[in-house]
CSV table of all heavy atoms in Angstrom, one decimal:
chain,number,residue,atom,x,y,z
X,1,PRO,N,-46.9,96.4,173.0
X,1,PRO,CA,-45.8,95.6,173.7
X,1,PRO,C,-46.3,94.4,174.4
X,1,PRO,O,-47.5,94.3,174.8
X,1,PRO,CB,-45.4,96.7,174.8
X,1,PRO,CG,-46.6,97.6,174.8
X,1,PRO,CD,-47.3,97.6,173.5
X,2,LYS,N,-45.3,93.5,174.4
X,2,LYS,CA,-45.8,92.2,175.0
X,2,LYS,C,-45.8,92.3,176.5
X,2,LYS,O,-45.0,92.9,177.2
X,2,LYS,CB,-44.8,91.1,174.7
X,2,LYS,CG,-44.8,90.7,173.2
X,2,LYS,CD,-43.9,89.5,173.0
X,2,LYS,CE,-44.0,89.1,171.6
X,2,LYS,NZ,-43.1,87.9,171.3
X,3,VAL,N,-46.9,91.9,177.0
X,3,VAL,CA,-47.2,92.0,178.5
X,3,VAL,C,-46.9,90.5,179.1
X,3,VAL,O,-47.4,89.6,178.6
X,3,VAL,CB,-48.6,92.4,178.8
X,3,VAL,CG1,-48.9,92.4,180.3
X,3,VAL,CG2,-48.9,93.7,178.1
X,4,PRO,N,-46.0,90.5,180.1
X,4,PRO,CA,-45.7,89.2,180.7
X,4,PRO,C,-46.9,88.6,181.4
X,4,PRO,O,-47.7,89.3,181.9
X,4,PRO,CB,-44.5,89.5,181.7
X,4,PRO,CG,-44.5,91.0,181.9
X,4,PRO,CD,-45.3,91.7,180.7
X,5,VAL,N,-47.1,87.4,181.2
X,5,VAL,CA,-48.2,86.7,181.9
X,5,VAL,C,-47.5,85.9,182.9
X,5,VAL,O,-46.8,84.9,182.7
X,5,VAL,CB,-48.8,85.7,180.8
X,5,VAL,CG1,-49.9,84.9,181.5
X,5,VAL,CG2,-49.4,86.5,179.7
X,6,PHE,N,-48.0,86.2,184.2
X,6,PHE,CA,-47.5,85.5,185.4
X,6,PHE,C,-48.3,84.3,185.8
X,6,PHE,O,-49.5,84.3,185.5
X,6,PHE,CB,-47.5,86.6,186.5
X,6,PHE,CG,-46.5,87.7,186.4
X,6,PHE,CD1,-46.8,88.9,185.8
X,6,PHE,CD2,-45.1,87.5,186.7
X,6,PHE,CE1,-45.9,90.0,185.6
X,6,PHE,CE2,-44.2,88.6,186.5
X,6,PHE,CZ,-44.6,89.7,186.0
X,7,GLU,N,-47.7,83.4,186.4
X,7,GLU,CA,-48.4,82.2,186.8
X,7,GLU,C,-48.9,82.3,188.3
X,7,GLU,O,-48.3,83.0,189.1
X,7,GLU,CB,-47.4,81.0,186.7
X,7,GLU,CG,-47.1,80.6,185.3
X,7,GLU,CD,-46.5,79.3,185.2
X,7,GLU,OE1,-46.8,78.4,186.0
X,7,GLU,OE2,-45.6,79.2,184.3
X,8,THR,N,-50.0,81.7,188.5
X,8,THR,CA,-50.6,81.7,189.8
X,8,THR,C,-49.8,80.6,190.7
X,8,THR,O,-49.5,79.5,190.1
X,8,THR,CB,-52.1,81.3,189.8
X,8,THR,OG1,-52.8,82.3,188.9
X,8,THR,CG2,-52.7,81.3,191.1
X,9,THR,N,-49.6,80.8,191.9
X,9,THR,CA,-48.9,80.0,192.8
X,9,THR,C,-50.0,79.5,193.8
X,9,THR,O,-50.6,80.2,194.3
X,9,THR,CB,-47.7,80.7,193.5
X,9,THR,OG1,-46.9,81.4,192.5
X,9,THR,CG2,-46.9,79.7,194.3
X,10,TYR,N,-49.9,78.1,194.0
X,10,TYR,CA,-51.0,77.5,194.9
X,10,TYR,C,-50.2,77.0,196.2
X,10,TYR,O,-49.1,76.6,196.1
X,10,TYR,CB,-51.7,76.4,194.1
X,10,TYR,CG,-52.4,76.8,192.9
X,10,TYR,CD1,-51.9,76.8,191.6
X,10,TYR,CD2,-53.7,77.4,193.1
X,10,TYR,CE1,-52.6,77.3,190.6
X,10,TYR,CE2,-54.4,78.0,192.0
X,10,TYR,CZ,-53.9,77.8,190.8
X,10,TYR,OH,-54.5,78.3,189.8
X,11,PHE,N,-51.1,76.9,197.2
X,11,PHE,CA,-50.6,76.6,198.6
X,11,PHE,C,-51.5,75.5,199.2
X,11,PHE,O,-52.6,75.3,198.9
X,11,PHE,CB,-50.5,77.8,199.5
X,11,PHE,CG,-49.5,78.8,199.1
X,11,PHE,CD1,-49.8,79.8,198.1
X,11,PHE,CD2,-48.3,78.8,199.7
X,11,PHE,CE1,-48.9,80.7,197.7
X,11,PHE,CE2,-47.3,79.7,199.3
X,11,PHE,CZ,-47.6,80.7,198.3
X,12,ASP,N,-50.7,74.7,200.1
X,12,ASP,CA,-51.6,73.7,200.8
X,12,ASP,C,-52.4,74.4,201.9
X,12,ASP,O,-52.1,75.5,202.2
X,12,ASP,CB,-50.5,72.7,201.5
X,12,ASP,CG,-49.8,71.8,200.5
X,12,ASP,OD1,-50.3,71.6,199.4
X,12,ASP,OD2,-48.6,71.6,200.7
X,13,PRO,N,-53.4,73.7,202.4
X,13,PRO,CA,-54.3,74.2,203.5
X,13,PRO,C,-53.5,74.7,204.7
X,13,PRO,O,-52.5,74.0,205.1
X,13,PRO,CB,-55.2,73.1,203.8
X,13,PRO,CG,-55.1,72.1,202.7
X,13,PRO,CD,-53.8,72.2,202.1
X,14,ASN,N,-53.8,75.9,205.1
X,14,ASN,CA,-53.2,76.5,206.3
X,14,ASN,C,-51.7,76.7,206.2
X,14,ASN,O,-51.0,76.6,207.3
X,14,ASN,CB,-53.5,75.7,207.5
X,14,ASN,CG,-55.0,75.7,207.7
X,14,ASN,OD1,-55.7,76.7,207.7
X,14,ASN,ND2,-55.6,74.6,208.1
X,15,LYS,N,-51.1,76.7,205.0
X,15,LYS,CA,-49.6,76.7,204.9
X,15,LYS,C,-49.3,78.0,204.0
X,15,LYS,O,-50.0,78.4,203.2
X,15,LYS,CB,-49.1,75.5,204.0
X,15,LYS,CG,-49.4,74.2,204.8
X,15,LYS,CD,-48.5,74.0,205.9
X,15,LYS,CE,-48.8,72.6,206.5
X,15,LYS,NZ,-48.0,72.3,207.6
X,16,SER,N,-48.1,78.5,204.3
X,16,SER,CA,-47.6,79.6,203.5
X,16,SER,C,-46.1,79.3,203.0
X,16,SER,O,-45.6,80.2,202.4
X,16,SER,CB,-47.6,80.9,204.4
X,16,SER,OG,-46.8,80.7,205.5
X,17,ASN,N,-45.7,78.1,203.3
X,17,ASN,CA,-44.4,77.8,202.8
X,17,ASN,C,-44.3,77.4,201.3
X,17,ASN,O,-45.4,77.1,200.8
X,17,ASN,CB,-43.7,76.6,203.6
X,17,ASN,CG,-44.6,75.4,203.5
X,17,ASN,OD1,-45.7,75.4,203.6
X,17,ASN,ND2,-43.9,74.2,203.3
X,18,ILE,N,-43.2,77.5,200.7
X,18,ILE,CA,-43.1,77.4,199.2
X,18,ILE,C,-42.9,75.8,199.0
X,18,ILE,O,-41.8,75.4,199.3
X,18,ILE,CB,-42.0,78.2,198.6
X,18,ILE,CG1,-42.2,79.7,199.0
X,18,ILE,CG2,-41.9,78.0,197.1
X,18,ILE,CD1,-43.5,80.3,198.5
X,19,SER,N,-43.8,75.2,198.4
X,19,SER,CA,-43.7,73.8,198.0
X,19,SER,C,-42.9,73.7,196.7
X,19,SER,O,-42.7,74.7,196.0
X,19,SER,CB,-45.0,73.2,197.8
X,19,SER,OG,-45.7,73.7,196.6
X,20,PRO,N,-42.4,72.5,196.3
X,20,PRO,CA,-41.7,72.3,195.0
X,20,PRO,C,-42.6,72.8,193.9
X,20,PRO,O,-42.0,73.4,193.0
X,20,PRO,CB,-41.3,70.8,195.0
X,20,PRO,CG,-41.4,70.4,196.4
X,20,PRO,CD,-42.4,71.3,197.1
X,21,THR,N,-43.8,72.5,193.9
X,21,THR,CA,-44.7,72.9,192.8
X,21,THR,C,-44.8,74.5,192.8
X,21,THR,O,-44.7,75.1,191.7
X,21,THR,CB,-46.1,72.3,192.9
X,21,THR,OG1,-45.9,70.9,193.0
X,21,THR,CG2,-47.0,72.7,191.8
X,22,ALA,N,-44.9,75.1,194.0
X,22,ALA,CA,-45.0,76.5,194.0
X,22,ALA,C,-43.8,77.2,193.6
X,22,ALA,O,-43.8,78.2,192.9
X,22,ALA,CB,-45.4,77.0,195.5
X,23,SER,N,-42.6,76.6,193.9
X,23,SER,CA,-41.3,77.2,193.5
X,23,SER,C,-41.2,77.2,192.0
X,23,SER,O,-40.6,78.1,191.5
X,23,SER,CB,-40.2,76.4,194.2
X,23,SER,OG,-40.0,75.1,193.6
X,24,LYS,N,-41.7,76.2,191.3
X,24,LYS,CA,-41.6,76.2,189.8
X,24,LYS,C,-42.4,77.5,189.3
X,24,LYS,O,-41.9,78.1,188.3
X,24,LYS,CB,-42.2,74.9,189.2
X,24,LYS,CG,-41.3,73.8,189.5
X,24,LYS,CD,-41.9,72.5,188.8
X,24,LYS,CE,-41.1,71.3,189.2
X,24,LYS,NZ,-41.6,70.0,188.8
X,25,ALA,N,-43.6,77.7,189.8
X,25,ALA,CA,-44.3,78.9,189.3
X,25,ALA,C,-43.6,80.2,189.7
X,25,ALA,O,-43.6,81.2,188.9
X,25,ALA,CB,-45.8,78.8,189.9
X,26,LEU,N,-43.1,80.2,190.9
X,26,LEU,CA,-42.4,81.4,191.3
X,26,LEU,C,-41.2,81.6,190.5
X,26,LEU,O,-40.7,82.8,190.3
X,26,LEU,CB,-42.1,81.4,192.8
X,26,LEU,CG,-43.4,81.5,193.8
X,26,LEU,CD1,-43.0,81.2,195.1
X,26,LEU,CD2,-44.0,82.9,193.5
X,27,ASP,N,-40.4,80.5,190.1
X,27,ASP,CA,-39.3,80.7,189.4
X,27,ASP,C,-39.6,81.3,188.0
X,27,ASP,O,-38.8,82.2,187.5
X,27,ASP,CB,-38.6,79.3,189.2
X,27,ASP,CG,-37.8,78.9,190.4
X,27,ASP,OD1,-37.5,79.7,191.2
X,27,ASP,OD2,-37.6,77.6,190.5
X,28,ARG,N,-40.7,80.9,187.4
X,28,ARG,CA,-41.1,81.4,186.1
X,28,ARG,C,-41.4,82.9,186.3
X,28,ARG,O,-41.0,83.8,185.5
X,28,ARG,CB,-42.3,80.7,185.5
X,28,ARG,CG,-41.8,79.3,184.9
X,28,ARG,CD,-43.0,78.6,184.2
X,28,ARG,NE,-43.9,77.9,185.0
X,28,ARG,CZ,-43.7,76.8,185.5
X,28,ARG,NH1,-42.6,76.1,185.3
X,28,ARG,NH2,-44.6,76.2,186.3
X,29,ASN,N,-42.2,83.3,187.4
X,29,ASN,CA,-42.5,84.7,187.7
X,29,ASN,C,-41.2,85.5,187.9
X,29,ASN,O,-41.1,86.6,187.5
X,29,ASN,CB,-43.5,84.7,188.8
X,29,ASN,CG,-44.8,84.2,188.4
X,29,ASN,OD1,-45.1,83.9,187.2
X,29,ASN,ND2,-45.6,84.0,189.4
X,30,GLY,N,-40.3,84.9,188.7
X,30,GLY,CA,-39.0,85.6,188.9
X,30,GLY,C,-38.3,85.9,187.7
X,30,GLY,O,-37.7,87.0,187.5
X,31,MET,N,-38.2,85.0,186.7
X,31,MET,CA,-37.5,85.2,185.5
X,31,MET,C,-38.2,86.4,184.7
X,31,MET,O,-37.6,87.1,184.0
X,31,MET,CB,-37.5,83.9,184.7
X,31,MET,CG,-36.4,82.9,185.2
X,31,MET,SD,-34.8,83.6,185.4
X,31,MET,CE,-34.4,83.9,183.7
X,32,LEU,N,-39.6,86.3,184.7
X,32,LEU,CA,-40.3,87.4,183.9
X,32,LEU,C,-40.0,88.8,184.5
X,32,LEU,O,-39.8,89.7,183.8
X,32,LEU,CB,-41.8,87.1,184.1
X,32,LEU,CG,-42.4,86.0,183.1
X,32,LEU,CD1,-43.8,85.8,183.5
X,32,LEU,CD2,-42.2,86.5,181.7
X,33,LEU,N,-39.9,88.8,185.9
X,33,LEU,CA,-39.6,90.1,186.5
X,33,LEU,C,-38.2,90.5,186.2
X,33,LEU,O,-37.9,91.6,185.9
X,33,LEU,CB,-39.8,90.1,188.0
X,33,LEU,CG,-41.2,90.1,188.4
X,33,LEU,CD1,-41.3,89.7,189.9
X,33,LEU,CD2,-41.9,91.4,188.1
X,34,LYS,N,-37.3,89.6,186.1
X,34,LYS,CA,-35.9,89.8,185.9
X,34,LYS,C,-35.7,90.3,184.4
X,34,LYS,O,-34.9,91.3,184.1
X,34,LYS,CB,-34.9,88.6,186.1
X,34,LYS,CG,-33.5,88.9,186.0
X,34,LYS,CD,-32.8,87.7,186.5
X,34,LYS,CE,-31.3,88.0,186.6
X,34,LYS,NZ,-30.5,87.2,187.4
X,35,ASP,N,-36.5,89.6,183.5
X,35,ASP,CA,-36.4,90.0,182.1
X,35,ASP,C,-37.1,91.3,181.7
X,35,ASP,O,-37.0,91.8,180.6
X,35,ASP,CB,-36.9,88.9,181.2
X,35,ASP,CG,-36.1,87.6,181.3
X,35,ASP,OD1,-34.9,87.7,181.7
X,35,ASP,OD2,-36.6,86.5,180.8
X,36,ASN,N,-38.0,91.8,182.6
X,36,ASN,CA,-38.8,93.0,182.3
X,36,ASN,C,-38.6,94.0,183.5
X,36,ASN,O,-39.5,94.1,184.3
X,36,ASN,CB,-40.2,92.6,182.2
X,36,ASN,CG,-40.5,91.7,181.0
X,36,ASN,OD1,-40.6,92.2,179.9
X,36,ASN,ND2,-40.6,90.4,181.2
X,37,PRO,N,-37.4,94.6,183.5
X,37,PRO,CA,-37.1,95.4,184.7
X,37,PRO,C,-38.0,96.6,185.0
X,37,PRO,O,-37.9,97.2,186.1
X,37,PRO,CB,-35.6,95.8,184.4
X,37,PRO,CG,-35.5,95.7,182.9
X,37,PRO,CD,-36.4,94.7,182.5
X,38,LYS,N,-38.8,97.0,184.0
X,38,LYS,CA,-39.7,98.2,184.3
X,38,LYS,C,-41.0,97.8,184.8
X,38,LYS,O,-41.9,98.6,185.2
X,38,LYS,CB,-39.9,98.9,183.0
X,38,LYS,CG,-38.7,99.6,182.6
X,38,LYS,CD,-38.9,100.5,181.3
X,38,LYS,CE,-37.6,101.1,180.9
X,38,LYS,NZ,-37.7,101.9,179.7
X,39,VAL,N,-41.3,96.4,184.9
X,39,VAL,CA,-42.5,95.9,185.4
X,39,VAL,C,-42.6,95.9,187.0
X,39,VAL,O,-41.6,95.5,187.5
X,39,VAL,CB,-42.9,94.5,184.8
X,39,VAL,CG1,-44.1,93.9,185.4
X,39,VAL,CG2,-43.0,94.6,183.3
X,40,LYS,N,-43.8,96.4,187.4
X,40,LYS,CA,-44.0,96.4,188.9
X,40,LYS,C,-45.3,95.5,189.1
X,40,LYS,O,-46.2,95.6,188.2
X,40,LYS,CB,-44.2,97.8,189.5
X,40,LYS,CG,-43.0,98.7,189.4
X,40,LYS,CD,-43.3,100.0,190.0
X,40,LYS,CE,-42.2,100.9,190.0
X,40,LYS,NZ,-42.3,102.2,190.6
X,41,VAL,N,-45.2,94.7,190.2
X,41,VAL,CA,-46.3,93.8,190.4
X,41,VAL,C,-47.0,94.0,191.8
X,41,VAL,O,-46.2,94.4,192.7
X,41,VAL,CB,-46.0,92.4,190.1
X,41,VAL,CG1,-45.7,92.1,188.7
X,41,VAL,CG2,-44.8,91.9,191.0
X,42,GLU,N,-48.2,93.7,191.9
X,42,GLU,CA,-48.9,93.5,193.1
X,42,GLU,C,-48.9,92.0,193.4
X,42,GLU,O,-49.4,91.3,192.5
X,42,GLU,CB,-50.2,94.0,193.1
X,42,GLU,CG,-51.0,93.7,194.5
X,42,GLU,CD,-52.5,94.1,194.4
X,42,GLU,OE1,-52.8,95.2,194.5
X,42,GLU,OE2,-53.4,93.1,194.2
X,43,ILE,N,-48.4,91.5,194.5
X,43,ILE,CA,-48.6,90.1,194.8
X,43,ILE,C,-49.8,89.9,195.8
X,43,ILE,O,-49.7,90.4,196.9
X,43,ILE,CB,-47.2,89.5,195.5
X,43,ILE,CG1,-46.0,89.8,194.5
X,43,ILE,CG2,-47.4,88.0,195.8
X,43,ILE,CD1,-44.7,89.5,195.2
X,44,GLY,N,-50.8,89.4,195.2
X,44,GLY,CA,-52.1,89.3,196.0
X,44,GLY,C,-52.2,87.9,196.6
X,44,GLY,O,-52.2,86.9,195.9
X,45,GLY,N,-52.3,87.9,198.0
X,45,GLY,CA,-52.6,86.5,198.6
X,45,GLY,C,-54.0,86.2,198.8
X,45,GLY,O,-54.8,87.1,199.1
X,46,HIS,N,-54.4,84.9,198.6
X,46,HIS,CA,-55.8,84.6,198.7
X,46,HIS,C,-55.9,83.2,199.6
X,46,HIS,O,-54.9,82.5,199.7
X,46,HIS,CB,-56.3,84.3,197.4
X,46,HIS,CG,-56.3,85.4,196.5
X,46,HIS,ND1,-57.4,86.4,196.3
X,46,HIS,CD2,-55.4,85.9,195.6
X,46,HIS,CE1,-57.1,87.3,195.4
X,46,HIS,NE2,-55.8,87.0,195.0
X,47,SER,N,-57.1,83.1,200.1
X,47,SER,CA,-57.3,81.9,200.9
X,47,SER,C,-58.5,81.2,200.5
X,47,SER,O,-59.4,81.9,199.8
X,47,SER,CB,-57.3,82.2,202.5
X,47,SER,OG,-58.4,83.0,202.7
């Protein structure tokens, strides 16, 4: 079975808000989750 490949989302220093660049990656990830309703994910935050 095809496994969805999620994109990494990057952030500015000391920021957690969603930039326009981050929103593009999150939009692709959101569509993957919507198209694959049985998939569960861990969203791991890094600094």
Side-chain angles (χ1 to χ4, degrees):
K2 290 186 178 183
V3 176
V5 178
F6 292 94
E7 290 193 33
T8 302
T9 307
Y10 297 98
F11 291 83
D12 292 328
N14 299 315
K15 301 283 184 187
S16 61
N17 61 316
I18 307 298
S19 69
T21 305
S23 69
K24 288 179 184 174
L26 289 172
D27 285 338
R28 286 188 279 278
N29 292 347
M31 288 304 297
L32 282 173
L33 285 168
K34 190 170 188 159
D35 293 343
N36 296 279
K38 293 184 179 179
V39 171
K40 292 182 180 183
V41 293
E42 173 192 285
I43 304 171
H46 301 268
S47 65

